[in-house]
Amino acid sequence: MENSIYGVILAGGQGTRMGNMDKPKQFLEVGGRPVIIYTIEKFIVNPEFEQIIVLVPKQWLAYTKDIICRFISKHDNVVVIEGGNTRNETIMNSIKYIENQGRLTDETIIVTHDSVRPFVTYRIIEENIRFARECGACDTVIPASDTIVESCGGEYISGIPDRKIMFQGQTPQSFKAKRLRELYESLTAEEKEVLTDACKIYVLKKERVHLVDGEVSNIKITYPHDLRVAEAILGGKR
């Protein structure tokens, strides 16, 4: 119990950038199965997880439970609960769930992951667990392959950072859960407004976040084109 580890699958998005779809992108099918199923399976195969918490919008709770039962035979350690209004509120819901189970300690680790990154590797998850244990917080990244152009107004270049120190963020992002919640609750309303992900909580509070090497294949399915890329990756694995 003192070092319990939870997988936290963030599936609260509505997938508006995917276009006029009748369901959020995490439930769209790739290779005959919903995207979220592939993601959950990557966590199920890792024996270190005490439980895998899947967080979805309230109206999709029953549907999510149904597809998990239909597509995943061994799902005893998977629980589906309601997410929050924002990404970080969704993560806080997962911590509250762990606390309500009487399992939250200073050493409890959560490995948070986008439900629409179905190609995360075992190695990435293992390293997230390791560095969350050792450092308290870690983020999965890959080096920026393109030059990053900064524009304050969106019309003209205001700066071009050195690409050698630029990275593209992926997930998982992993934390000691109690510390993450403490930092989040210490933020002002204005600070919460500028959050894009959980790691920025640490950046705002000037706390260190260890980097974990990601993979180019650890793609996020956001646009219709990404579904075709995912189909191609799955086709190559068959």
Side-chain angles (χ1 to χ4, degrees):
M1 176 175 174
E2 291 182 358
N3 197 23
S4 52
I5 302 165
Y6 290 82
V8 175
I9 309 295
L10 306 174
Q14 297 293 339
T16 53
R17 285 175 290 184
M18 191 61 76
N20 187 23
M21 298 289 184
D22 62 351
K23 62 181 69 171
K25 58 193 176 183
Q26 57 267 31
F27 301 119
L28 298 178
E29 291 196 357
V30 175
R33 300 196 303 164
V35 169
I36 192 172
I37 294 298
Y38 294 99
T39 306
I40 294 170
E41 286 179 333
K42 293 298 176 68
F43 282 72
I44 284 178
V45 298
N46 192 309
E48 294 206 62
F49 290 113
E50 175 134 341
Q51 201 165 41
I52 296 149
I53 307 168
V54 182
L55 297 105
V56 300
K58 184 176 182 179
Q59 64 271 33
W60 291 95
L61 285 168
Y63 181 83
T64 305
K65 292 174 184 177
D66 177 64
I67 61 172
I68 289 172
C69 289
R70 198 182 336 152
F71 289 102
I72 301 176
S73 57
K74 294 182 179 179
H75 56 267
D76 293 345
N77 69 333
V78 180
V79 62
V80 181
I81 66 173
E82 185 178 347
N85 292 325
T86 67
R87 181 185 188 88
N88 286 298
E89 286 178 11
T90 295
I91 294 173
M92 294 305 126
N93 280 7
S94 74
I95 298 172
K96 185 65 175 177
Y97 169 83
I98 297 168
E99 183 175 51
N100 289 341
Q101 301 301 305
R103 307 292 292 176
L104 187 64
T105 74
D106 290 340
E107 299 303 315
T108 300
I109 290 167
I110 55 171
V111 178
T112 72
H113 188 62
D114 296 326
S115 63
V116 288
R117 288 190 190 270
F119 302 117
V120 63
T121 64
Y122 193 93
R123 190 270 306 167
I124 289 174
I125 292 173
E126 279 287 286
E127 290 192 10
N128 266 262
I129 293 170
R130 173 190 163 196
F131 287 113
R133 275 189 183 130
E134 294 178 5
C135 307
C138 62
D139 191 9
T140 306
V141 301
I142 57 173
S145 56
D146 297 317
T147 296
I148 305 298
V149 175
E150 179 186 79
S151 176
C152 292
E155 191 173 359
Y156 301 102
I157 291 176
S158 53
I160 300 179
D162 184 351
R163 190 174 70 188
K164 293 196 296 291
I165 62 170
M166 295 290 111
F167 294 82
Q168 295 167 227
Q170 300 185 337
T171 63
Q173 295 182 332
S174 303
F175 313 92
K176 289 188 175 177
K178 282 187 76 173
R179 184 58 178 158
L180 172 64
R181 187 170 68 180
E182 287 169 4
L183 292 175
Y184 179 73
E185 290 177 347
S186 74
L187 296 176
T188 65
E190 292 75 19
E191 287 173 324
K192 288 179 180 178
E193 282 293 318
V194 302
L195 291 178
T196 51
D197 64 8
C199 283
K200 191 158 186 177
I201 298 168
Y202 281 72
V203 173
L204 288 172
K205 304 306 287 188
K206 295 183 169 47
E207 297 218 1
R208 298 174 74 177
V209 178
H210 195 282
L211 298 184
V212 172
D213 291 332
E215 303 277 357
V216 174
S217 59
N218 185 24
I219 63 169
K220 183 177 183 181
I221 297 175
T222 304
Y223 300 101
H225 167 74
D226 300 324
L227 283 172
R228 295 190 289 273
V229 173
E231 288 278 6
I233 292 173
L234 284 172
K237 290 184 176 182
R238 290 181 189 132

